[in-house]
Amino acid sequence: MKLKKVICLGLVGLFTFSSITSVPSRTLAVETSDSSVSSQSSSVVNSDSSTTKTESSVNDTAISDASSNEVQTRADTTEMTQANDTNPLAPTAADGVQNPSWSGLHIILPIIPGIIVQPQSEQYLVADSRSKMAVADLSLKVSTWLLLVLGSNVVVTPTRWTLQGDHKTWIKTTDSTVSDHFWTNTNPKMELPTNLAVGTYYFQYDVTVHGLLGLGTKHKTSKLVKVVVVPSPIDATSITMTAPKVVFENATYTGTAMTTPNDATGLIEWNSSLADKIMWDQKKGRNASYVMTQPMDINTSTTNPGIKKQISAQITNTETATSGNLVDYKDIYAGGLVAKEMATNDGGTWSLDAQGLSDLGDVTTPEDGSNVSWKYQWQYSNNNGNTFTNLNNKNSEGVSNYQGSIQQVTDLTAADNVLTFTKKSGFIKQAAAATKAGTPYVMRAVLTASIPTGNGDTQDITINSNKAQLSVTAPVGHLSLDKVPTFNFGDVTAADIYNGTIGMKQTKPEARSILAITDSRVDSDDWSLSAKMTKFIDNEKAELTSESMIQMNNIMGNRSLVISDNNTSYNLLDSKDGNAGTWVTTGQLILNANHQAKLMAGQRFGSTITWNLTSSQITVKAA
């Protein structure tokens, strides 16, 4: 029995999350004749009764026709003047317009109850030739608590202003409320069209979001929106759209389309090459609202701040139009992170797109300006982005600012927060090896926003950047062995060969030559020079059996290098001894006694020295 009780409590907890709903207004206006105005009650959803209030107001106090301010109300019909002006002055506070206050916020989950998608800001519609009516989509989307108890609901009260024939007077009509309950559906969609006659209208909505058992009730007011219904089509000659250049996953963005002329009546539809990675809250009309899920692609471009896609707005003119369909495209970038290409010893920084972060901050900040705090964590993948590992103090040698907390998301572009690599980063050396093996590292940034919900709590939302390739190339500049010594000791006496020249007071054959090393890389001290020398032999392959040596003087100042003809590699120089350079060196031939040698006049002995310049970098460019 105790187990059963626990399960029931768990279910209650499950159903008290938030939800989103679209609540369009349903009103009906009819077209009649000249100067009188009346109202007809709106249809009501989930309501037993309704009332309609009608008021008139005038934008200009100088009215010569006193009858223009009269209002006549009849039980069944409404008469009003058709308005041909598609761009009058909008109604104001004097006409009863309220200051908008919507403050809804939804990112993955509802965070703040309120309006999260406004009705279309402007609509220009053509009345049907038979019914003389046009259908306006005035739906809006509301973030609200998921409701369990009867009486917990969302109530929308539409207010409509109708322009009169003097092009100055607005008639305010408070239409019937629309309400509905929401149970287990977290994103219900209600399609309730608004039918309007020829004329110019403005609408504003009062939205009341009731919490569980009536608790936590929120009152919100939409923006003022405009609808114009004309008797015949107005064709567009062009369309221009604006939308954020960089978008991040799970955040709601908006786009705006503008036409020439402004009151073109064609249907505007939005599309994107993001395909199934974009969810449209509004896809038709001058305003678009959409949320992206992060594409799986890996960005390999060092200039594109994310995965390159397109968004478009198209207006369809009427069948009689000569201009047909018009469309405008914009490139957008999903995720905000460019690819990074760097040299092993280059060092540098990596950050998300600054404007994209600014826009992300705007769309995640509540309307009341409550501060959203952020955390960030950089991750890497060594298996082509299939799985990711957090950078931490064990795997990030030479990397800083790979995680942290910030007050504003735009702080990620500050020097104290951008991902930074030193010129000798161990992590970058590992990434270099991966690049050389054909499997470059893949990186991404994970952002966590803590958003105030308005009731003293916060909701954490995770936003990933796109995946971006980290390609580490050969060092900047080059390391090369430009010249190695060639010693010609000339004629050596038979006595020197028999008896040797190893004694301190013995004269040693000498020859001059050049050793040259170039290292134009930045801050590199990782090279070393080695050499090995074969036995001295003559043309008949007869060799000097005793060990012979060459001592090279005046290298890196006063250093002397000695190598023996035993075919063994000797480490002669490295970058820790000094800088690369060009040295004129004097080589001295040091011979041990060769008492068994059978020498002949004109006999020539030679040896081959093999030089090897190495570096810990992934490649060394040849001179």
Side-chain angles (χ1 to χ4, degrees):
M1 186 64 184
K2 182 180 294 185
L3 177 60
K4 183 176 181 180
K5 182 176 181 181
V6 171
I7 292 174
C8 292
L9 288 173
L11 289 173
V12 171
L14 175 64
F15 285 109
T16 55
F17 287 112
S18 302
S19 66
I20 306 171
T21 182
S22 297
V23 185
S25 166
R26 176 186 290 172
T27 60
L28 178 65
V30 297
E31 175 188 5
T32 56
S33 61
D34 299 329
S35 61
S36 62
V37 179
S38 64
S39 64
Q40 178 172 323
S41 62
S42 302
S43 60
V44 182
V45 180
N46 292 336
S47 179
D48 295 329
S49 62
S50 64
T51 59
T52 302
K53 298 179 181 179
T54 304
E55 303 173 12
S56 66
S57 60
V58 184
N59 285 341
D60 192 331
T61 56
I63 300 176
S64 58
D65 185 0
S67 64
S68 65
N69 199 31
E70 295 179 357
V71 178
Q72 299 178 356
T73 304
R74 301 179 182 178
D76 299 318
T77 63
T78 299
E79 293 184 353
M80 70 178 183
T81 301
Q82 296 183 21
N84 296 320
D85 187 358
T86 63
N87 193 31
L89 293 175
T92 65
D95 303 307
V97 176
Q98 301 180 63
N99 289 326
S101 175
W102 59 96
S103 71
L105 188 62
H106 177 271
I107 304 175
I108 305 177
L109 295 172
I111 297 174
I112 300 176
I115 303 170
I116 58 173
V117 178
Q118 298 282 337
Q120 289 290 325
S121 60
E122 292 185 20
Q123 295 183 64
Y124 297 91
L125 308 172
V126 181
D128 180 75
S129 59
R130 297 182 62 184
S131 67
K132 308 299 182 184
M133 305 288 287
V135 180
D137 178 12
L138 292 172
S139 61
L140 52 81
K141 206 165 190 179
V142 178
S143 173
T144 181
W145 305 114
L146 190 62
L147 307 173
L148 291 174
V149 181
L150 188 64
S152 298
N153 60 358
V154 173
V155 178
V156 178
T157 302
T159 300
R160 173 162 42 108
W161 289 265
T162 305
L163 183 65
Q164 299 307 289
D166 59 3
H167 304 288
K168 300 176 181 179
T169 306
W170 290 101
I171 298 298
K172 176 185 175 184
T173 303
T174 303
D175 296 321
S176 302
T177 60
V178 179
S179 64
D180 208 344
H181 301 275
F182 309 104
W183 304 93
T184 59
N185 188 351
T186 60
N187 189 18
K189 183 73 173 179
M190 298 173 61
E191 298 288 353
L192 299 176
T194 301
N195 299 291
L196 298 170
V198 172
T200 301
Y201 309 86
Y202 276 86
F203 289 85
Q204 191 172 45
Y205 294 94
D206 291 320
V207 178
T208 302
V209 182
H210 294 287
L212 187 64
L213 296 175
L215 300 176
T217 297
K218 302 289 184 181
H219 298 282
K220 307 293 179 179
T221 303
S222 76
K223 295 180 179 179
L224 193 65
V225 298
K226 177 183 179 181
V227 181
V228 177
V229 181
V230 295
S232 57
I234 300 173
D235 292 333
T237 58
S238 68
I239 184 171
T240 304
M241 56 147 294
T242 59
K245 178 181 177 181
V246 174
V247 294
F248 288 88
E249 67 172 0
N250 301 327
T252 299
Y253 292 90
T254 58
T256 302
M258 295 164 286
T259 63
T260 303
N262 182 64
D263 55 357
T265 55
L267 174 64
I268 297 175
E269 293 186 275
W270 294 75
N271 281 290
S272 174
S273 58
L274 279 164
D276 62 342
K277 297 298 182 180
I278 191 169
M279 180 179 70
W280 298 92
D281 287 326
Q282 284 180 328
K283 193 177 182 182
K284 295 181 179 180
R286 280 169 162 74
N287 307 116
S289 178
Y290 51 93
V291 179
M292 179 203 73
T293 56
Q294 186 61 55
M296 298 302 293
D297 313 55
I298 297 173
N299 187 16
T300 58
S301 169
T302 58
T303 57
N304 292 342
I307 307 302
K308 184 178 180 180
K309 298 292 182 179
Q310 279 191 331
I311 191 170
S312 65
Q314 175 179 289
I315 186 168
T316 302
N317 286 319
T318 63
E319 294 181 0
T320 59
T322 58
S323 53
N325 298 339
L326 303 171
V327 63
D328 188 26
Y329 295 91
K330 289 288 185 295
D331 290 333
I332 61 172
Y333 300 90
L337 185 61
V338 299
K340 182 73 172 177
E341 184 174 318
M342 60 186 295
T344 308
N345 62 337
D346 203 12
T349 60
W350 202 358
S351 64
L352 295 169
D353 182 75
Q355 184 58 53
L357 290 174
S358 178
D359 292 339
L360 178 61
D362 290 342
V363 299
T364 54
T365 299
E367 182 202 7
D368 62 6
S370 298
N371 184 61
V372 178
S373 60
W374 295 80
K375 295 180 180 179
Y376 65 93
Q377 171 69 63
W378 285 86
Q379 299 178 329
Y380 75 97
S381 170
N382 56 10
N383 58 7
N384 205 36
N386 293 321
T387 58
F388 282 86
T389 301
N390 287 344
L391 281 173
N392 54 52
N393 58 6
K394 295 182 179 179
N395 61 17
S396 60
E397 180 189 348
V399 185
S400 58
N401 303 331
Y402 51 79
Q403 65 179 14
S405 299
I406 49 179
Q407 290 301 308
Q408 307 287 339
V409 70
T410 50
D411 292 343
L412 267 177
T413 60
D416 292 341
N417 299 314
V418 295
L419 189 67
T420 302
F421 307 102
T422 64
K423 294 180 179 180
K424 301 176 184 179
S425 166
F427 176 79
I428 291 301
K429 289 180 180 179
Q430 296 172 20
T435 301
K436 186 177 181 181
T439 56
Y441 277 5
V442 175
M443 303 283 289
R444 72 178 180 186
V446 179
L447 310 179
T448 303
S450 294
I451 304 176
T453 61
N455 59 2
D457 295 329
T458 58
Q459 177 71 53
D460 286 350
I461 300 299
T462 299
I463 299 173
N464 293 322
S465 76
N466 59 286
K467 303 173 184 178
Q469 181 174 281
L470 172 60
S471 179
V472 182
T473 60
V476 175
H478 72 274
L479 173 66
S480 60
L481 184 57
D482 303 319
K483 192 173 183 62
V484 295
T486 299
F487 298 113
N488 185 348
F489 294 104
D491 293 335
V492 179
T493 66
D496 284 343
I497 295 175
Y498 277 118
N499 299 320
T501 61
I502 197 169
M504 291 291 294
K505 296 182 179 181
Q506 290 177 294
T507 301
K508 300 170 178 60
E510 292 185 350
R512 300 182 71 187
S513 191
I514 295 174
L515 173 63
I517 299 173
T518 296
D519 187 3
S520 60
R521 301 170 303 161
V522 179
D523 291 343
S524 295
D525 59 356
D526 60 347
W527 59 264
S528 61
L529 178 67
S530 61
K532 61 181 179 179
M533 184 169 66
T534 62
K535 296 294 289 183
F536 276 94
I537 59 174
D538 66 7
N539 293 336
E540 302 299 327
K541 306 300 181 183
E543 65 179 40
L544 297 179
T545 56
S546 297
E547 185 176 25
S548 302
M549 294 168 284
I550 295 177
Q551 178 175 305
M552 291 168 279
N553 302 312
N554 305 317
I555 304 293
M556 282 188 179
N558 295 320
R559 291 181 63 87
S560 294
L561 312 178
V562 178
I563 184 172
S564 297
D565 66 344
N566 55 12
N567 210 32
T568 298
S569 180
Y570 289 85
N571 291 322
L572 302 178
L573 284 177
D574 64 47
S575 52
K576 294 181 177 58
D577 299 324
N579 296 325
T582 299
W583 306 280
V584 177
T585 180
T586 300
Q588 292 181 317
L589 179 61
I590 302 173
L591 299 172
N592 280 295
N594 289 275
H595 296 305
Q596 305 300 320
K598 296 179 180 180
L599 302 176
M600 297 176 291
Q603 192 175 11
R604 299 180 62 85
F605 289 86
S607 174
T608 299
I609 302 176
T610 302
W611 300 83
N612 189 24
L613 180 64
T614 60
S615 168
S616 62
Q617 302 284 1
I618 56 175
T619 60
V620 175
K621 183 177 179 180

